[in-house]
Amino acid sequence: MAGSAEQALGREVIRLLLATTHRDDPYPVYRRLREDHPVHRTPFGLWLVTGYDDAVAALRDTRLSSDLGSVVGNPAAFVGEGGPVRQIAGIARTVADLVEYAGAGVVGMAPELLRIGVLALRSSDGTGAFGGLASKTLLLRDPPDHTRLRRLVSRAFTPRVVETLTPRIEELVAHLLGKATADAHCDLMQAFAYPLPLTVICEMLGVPPGDQQRLVDWSQQLVIGLDPVQTMTDRSAAAHADRAAVEVSEYLAFLVRVRRSEPAQDLISRLAQASDGDDQLRDDEIVVMCALLLIAGHETTVNLIGNGLIALLRDRAAIDRWLAEPALTPTAVHELLRYDSPVQTASRRARDDLELGGREIPSGDIVMIVTGAANRDPDQFDGPEELVLDRDPNQHLAFGSGIHYCLGAALAQAEARIAFPALLQHRPQLLERPQWRTTMAIRGLQSLPIALTH
Ligand code: HEM
């Protein structure tokens, strides 16, 4: 049983992770937990891993499963055997435990656990199209399914494909910044950070220009489906996400059929043709893959741009240095990824009993690897609280580690390496204190009001 000091700290971290406020700066609390309890167990079976070495070990440990749907879909993980009713009871009990543990102030929030629970509940009873779609993606699969899907998608999504996108990314960046600088001030998230990666991924997939707005709308509904607070508190948000999942699947299935008969130079055609011996992706697998790429391809890069720019705006010397030394761009982008990562946590479920950082983790427990905390571990990074644009080495965990290492890492970097230098040329000035979003696993800004010079 954890000591009372550890519990008090753990409570604080849980509050911070889950509450819809306190998003401005999670790092002081991460630091305290990491220094004293890098592998911390909350009393309700959720582990928080904040130390760098432990986080890497956890991300690479095959006894920790990414197949979270089946865990929570299997009510034994919470409350013993039973059907959906038992699952709801299990989730309710978890919330009750959580409230008791962290204090009544957290009632308005919902943890990643609940997101997982909601996904599982909604997919396991066959009514949740969104949960059903999410649980089939390679992000939530283990080997051998994961190995097979990853191998096939890697044949289509290659570094060469990303390289060929450079001129188009440059064109889009110039176009969006041209529009943004036309006004005295703008919200960078809406004017630039969202449209850039979304247009890139739509074009990469081969979505005809006239249909891209539909994809944007569906994608926004799906992202809301990922947000535990919205889906738990607003049934219409969940219903919208389900409807978007059905519609986007039907639309993508249509595109796959078209591309099977008339291949083009796009990712859907390449996914349709990708083979490994006799093995090929089925149409329904291509649909799921494209839906994942659509969400993963924009919800993250958006926040690399937003989080990165706000970090730079708070350190004008770094902006001057980057402008004076453009060759810093590759390391600078990695440093922004480390400093305030768009993805702060990765969750796994223990498939077996295992030992991590000297603690015994029992089979069935959920392990939340707080990569955002590990990326500030002073045992791994010198002066981790400083933004050092030429930091090297910089083995941050912003793209994860191990078999689920981000498939789009090269694409995200290509976009950021073009976007940041172009953006900084326009001498951005912060106009108002920015608002952070309430989501937990994804860290990002609601809005970023700035002025840009021509
Ligand atoms: C700054 C931008 C990005 C960040 C910070 C990011 C972060 C991550 C992280 C942390 C994971 C691993 C999650 C885990 O281990 O549970 C991941 C996986 C993944 N990412 Fe990204 N990502 C970014 C951009 C992209 C882009 C642009 C795409 C595609 C267009 C993409 C596609 C994927 C896919 C498909 C996976 C699943 C890989 C697997 O399970 O094998 N990501 N990403």
Side-chain angles (χ1 to χ4, degrees), residues 59 138-139 146 150 157 201 292-293 296-297 300-301 304 337 342-343 346 348 398-400 403-408 411-412:
L59 288 167
L138 84 161
L139 186 65
H146 175 268
R150 176 100 188 192
F157 199 122
I201 193 67
L292 172 65
L293 292 173
T300 48
T301 311
L304 169 56
L337 281 157
V343 179
R348 302 286 190 265
F399 290 125
I403 62 168
H404 291 278
Y405 183 82
C406 178
L407 187 74
L411 176 60

Side-chain angles (χ1 to χ4, degrees), residues 33-347:
L33 192 68
R34 190 183 56 230
E35 280 169 359
D36 295 338
H37 309 282
V39 179
H40 166 78
R41 184 181 195 276
T42 62
F44 47 91
L46 171 70
W47 293 78
L48 297 170
V49 180
T50 46
Y52 181 89
D53 288 344
D54 297 319
V56 173
L59 288 167
R60 294 189 181 162
D61 196 319
T62 51
R63 292 166 300 177
L64 288 171
S65 167
S66 288
D67 188 354
L68 297 165
S70 75
V71 183
V72 205
N74 166 14
F78 282 119
V79 284
E81 91 305 333
V85 173
R86 283 295 199 123
Q87 292 181 27
I88 293 166
I91 289 169
R93 207 179 74 173
T94 304
V95 178
D97 284 350
L98 206 67
V99 170
E100 194 181 310
Y101 183 60
V106 297
V107 182
M109 60 69 200
E112 175 131 325
L113 256 184
L114 290 184
R115 174 175 76 80
I116 298 159
V118 170
L119 282 186
L121 265 179
R122 297 167 65 226
S123 58
S124 63
D125 65 9
T127 58
F130 174 72
L133 184 69
S135 63
K136 282 186 216 137
T137 65
L138 84 161
L139 186 65
L140 298 181
R141 308 306 312 159
D142 289 335
D145 289 0
H146 175 268
T147 322
R148 173 180 168 263
L149 292 169
R150 176 100 188 192
R151 197 180 291 139
L152 284 164
V153 69
S154 303
R155 304 259 147 118
F157 199 122
T158 60
R160 175 87 195 97
V161 169
V162 173
E163 264 170 46
T164 60
L165 293 172
T166 303
R168 180 60 183 143
I169 299 172
E170 285 170 349
E171 198 175 66
L172 279 171
V173 164
H175 170 71
L176 292 169
L177 286 179
K179 281 207 314 195
T181 51
D183 293 326
H185 46 76
C186 72
D187 172 10
L188 190 82
M189 303 311 285
Q190 294 308 323
F192 185 75
Y194 270 98
L196 175 65
L198 207 61
T199 312
V200 170
I201 193 67
C202 280
E203 290 187 359
M204 196 176 176
L205 287 171
V207 175
D211 292 346
Q212 284 178 15
Q213 188 55 45
R214 297 167 74 195
L215 268 280
V216 170
D217 295 344
W218 284 324
S219 175
Q220 277 165 3
Q221 307 281 337
L222 292 173
V223 166
I224 291 173
L226 278 176
D227 186 327
V229 178
Q230 301 239 26
T231 47
M232 286 301 287
T233 54
D234 176 2
R235 290 307 298 167
S236 70
H240 284 138
D242 280 339
R243 198 163 54 237
V246 171
E247 289 174 3
V248 82
S249 301
E250 283 171 2
Y251 175 78
L252 290 168
F254 160 76
L255 269 193
V256 174
R257 281 196 301 277
V258 172
R259 291 294 182 263
R260 281 233 189 258
S261 56
E262 295 165 34
Q265 293 297 316
D266 57 41
L267 192 59
I268 294 187
S269 304
R270 279 194 296 275
L271 285 169
Q273 287 156 6
S275 61
D276 184 28
D278 290 342
D279 193 15
Q280 284 205 310
L281 290 168
R282 298 188 312 266
D283 285 11
D284 59 314
E285 291 174 327
I286 300 175
V287 165
V288 169
M289 192 73 79
C290 292
L292 172 65
L293 292 173
L294 187 67
I295 294 194
H298 93 275
E299 224 355 69
T300 48
T301 311
V302 168
N303 297 318
L304 169 56
I305 297 171
N307 299 5
L309 188 67
I310 192 75
L312 289 163
L313 289 171
R314 289 173 174 158
D315 186 351
R316 303 296 309 190
I319 296 187
D320 294 340
R321 185 170 178 211
W322 195 337
L323 284 169
E325 298 177 60
L328 287 177
T329 298
T331 55
V333 167
H334 274 296
E335 179 64 347
L336 295 177
L337 281 157
R338 179 198 72 83
Y339 186 77
D340 202 6
S341 307
V343 179
Q344 292 273 306
T345 65
S347 294

Side-chain angles (χ1 to χ4, degrees), residues 39 47 49 54 57-65 348-367 369:
V39 179
W47 293 78
V49 180
D54 297 319
L59 288 167
R60 294 189 181 162
D61 196 319
T62 51
R63 292 166 300 177
L64 288 171
S65 167
R348 302 286 190 265
R349 187 215 12 135
R351 228 194 322 236
D352 292 313
D353 295 349
L354 62 121
E355 192 250 305
L356 187 71
R359 306 290 299 266
E360 298 295 327
I361 299 184
S363 168
D365 276 8
I366 304 277
V367 177
I369 304 146

